Amino acid sequence: MYLVALVGNSLILTVIKKNTSLHQPMYLFLAMLAFAELGVSASTLPIVLGIFLFGANEICFEACLLQMFSIHSFSIMESGVLLAMSVDRFVAIYNPLRYTAILTLPRIAGSAAVLGLKSVTLMFPLPFLLKRLPFCGHNVLSHSYCLHSDLIQLPCGNTRPNSILGLCIVTSTFGLDSLLIVISYMLILYTVLGISSGEGRRKALGTCVSHMCAVLMYYVPMISVALLHRFVKQAAPAVRLFLANVYLLVPPVLNPIIYSVKTKQIRQGLIRLFLQRK
């Protein structure tokens, strides 16, 4: 799965970079999504494979904090990119004639910079807040990698500031992003229903299928993991482990496959890339 995630997202980035015809808003946002998913995969790959292949079940505290920072930063970025992609689909359907005039390259570059800065800034205080706390007893994590929601259950000291800040970050990023994505799709549906042609409605909705799949694959496992941690304390460890691995492994694996299958331009770019190598 890691191999598919790394190769698939790298191919998406390569195809978009090499084909100037794909230097359009939709594909540039897809490149951002692929970059964020590569970041998530690279953050978890060494530790997870070390556990399952070599039985390396320990990680030093500093490496754990670094991994936590990387995973959550790239996850926040991925959530923001999914929101940007939903706005992109709305603009393309609502005002197709001014699509490229509204979503210009400078605006897309600016949104990428804002998303990157936002993810790093929000996560920056959390490792320092955890580092000041005393850890005692058996520091055993529930997952194959370091998550903030898991780490704050281990210290002996007061973790209330960590919990409050973590909740604020989740609410202001994943919560707000998911709400805005829902609103975007309500506006998309309203716009599509206003199209008189049945074929036109079908084509308009068809451009959103890949993005809807990406949103569902990202948010459903993430919400499940969050609910298990906060409300289902007696859940079997295997259930938590499975959902957490699904949350970080499945989207980077399936998104490149879905976009390659459903998007004609990406599929043609991949074919040309392989033919050139032959």
Side-chain angles (χ1 to χ4, degrees), residues 61 64-73 76 118-133 135 146-152 155 159-170 172-174 230:
F61 186 49
C64 190
L65 291 179
L66 178 60
Q67 187 186 47
M68 179 201 74
F69 176 83
S70 301
I71 290 173
H72 289 303
S73 295
I76 291 171
K118 170 189 169 185
S119 60
V120 171
T121 303
L122 287 174
M123 282 303 302
F124 188 76
L126 291 184
F128 296 99
L129 287 174
L130 278 169
K131 197 170 178 62
R132 68 179 178 83
L133 294 170
F135 285 77
C146 300
L147 294 178
H148 182 257
S149 56
D150 204 4
L151 282 170
I152 60 173
T159 59
R160 187 174 179 82
N162 304 67
S163 298
I164 293 173
L165 181 57
L167 184 60
C168 289
I169 292 173
V170 169
S172 62
T173 53
F174 304 113
R230 294 189 180 276

Side-chain angles (χ1 to χ4, degrees), residues 10-278:
S10 297
L11 284 174
I12 293 287
L13 285 171
T14 303
V15 167
I16 293 173
K17 180 183 177 182
K18 285 183 173 292
N19 291 270
T20 54
S21 61
L22 298 181
H23 293 178
Q24 301 175 29
M26 174 183 174
Y27 304 109
L28 294 176
F29 285 126
L30 177 58
M32 292 183 209
L33 182 65
F35 174 78
E37 290 178 342
L38 277 175
V40 171
S41 298
S43 300
T44 57
L45 175 65
I47 303 301
V48 174
L49 291 187
I51 292 171
F52 289 108
L53 296 181
F54 306 109
N57 295 326
E58 293 185 358
I59 181 172
C60 70
F61 186 49
E62 288 74 18
C64 190
L65 291 179
L66 178 60
Q67 187 186 47
M68 179 201 74
F69 176 83
S70 301
I71 290 173
H72 289 303
S73 295
F74 282 113
S75 295
I76 291 171
M77 185 185 300
E78 188 174 354
S79 177
V81 172
L82 289 173
L83 171 59
M85 293 174 80
S86 69
V87 175
D88 165 77
R89 289 300 83 210
F90 170 67
V91 173
I93 293 171
Y94 179 73
N95 199 345
L97 296 179
R98 298 195 64 239
Y99 174 59
T100 53
I102 295 172
L103 294 174
T104 61
L105 289 178
R107 287 176 179 171
I108 294 171
S111 65
V114 168
L115 288 174
L117 185 63
K118 170 189 169 185
S119 60
V120 171
T121 303
L122 287 174
M123 282 303 302
F124 188 76
L126 291 184
F128 296 99
L129 287 174
L130 278 169
K131 197 170 178 62
R132 68 179 178 83
L133 294 170
F135 285 77
C136 52
H138 297 287
N139 297 316
V140 181
L141 297 171
S142 304
H143 305 305
S144 312
Y145 41 78
C146 300
L147 294 178
H148 182 257
S149 56
D150 204 4
L151 282 170
I152 60 173
Q153 299 181 30
L154 300 179
C156 308
N158 179 24
T159 59
R160 187 174 179 82
N162 304 67
S163 298
I164 293 173
L165 181 57
L167 184 60
C168 289
I169 292 173
V170 169
T171 305
S172 62
T173 53
F174 304 113
L176 183 60
D177 289 349
S178 58
L179 176 61
L180 292 175
I181 288 172
V182 171
I183 293 173
S184 297
Y185 269 98
M186 290 173 63
L187 293 172
I188 288 171
L189 186 60
Y190 178 78
T191 304
V192 168
L193 292 176
I195 299 174
S196 56
S197 166
E199 181 67 16
R201 289 196 293 267
R202 187 187 66 79
K203 285 184 177 179
L205 286 176
T207 63
C208 302
V209 171
S210 299
H211 179 256
M212 287 189 287
C213 291
V215 169
L216 290 174
M217 286 188 300
Y218 180 78
Y219 279 104
V220 171
M222 183 193 71
I223 292 171
S224 301
V225 171
L227 290 176
L228 275 177
H229 268 289
R230 294 189 180 276
F231 302 111
V232 190
K233 301 296 184 181
Q234 302 304 318
V239 174
R240 295 189 183 196
L241 183 63
F242 174 76
L243 285 175
N245 284 334
V246 166
Y247 160 50
L248 289 187
L249 269 175
V250 170
V253 169
L254 292 185
N255 280 340
I257 297 173
I258 291 172
Y259 274 99
S260 299
V261 172
K262 296 293 293 181
T263 308
K264 181 181 177 181
Q265 291 82 352
I266 295 293
R267 189 167 62 250
Q268 291 175 340
L270 286 170
I271 293 171
R272 283 196 297 269
L273 181 66
F274 286 117
L275 287 178
Q276 287 174 1
R277 291 187 176 182
K278 287 182 180 179

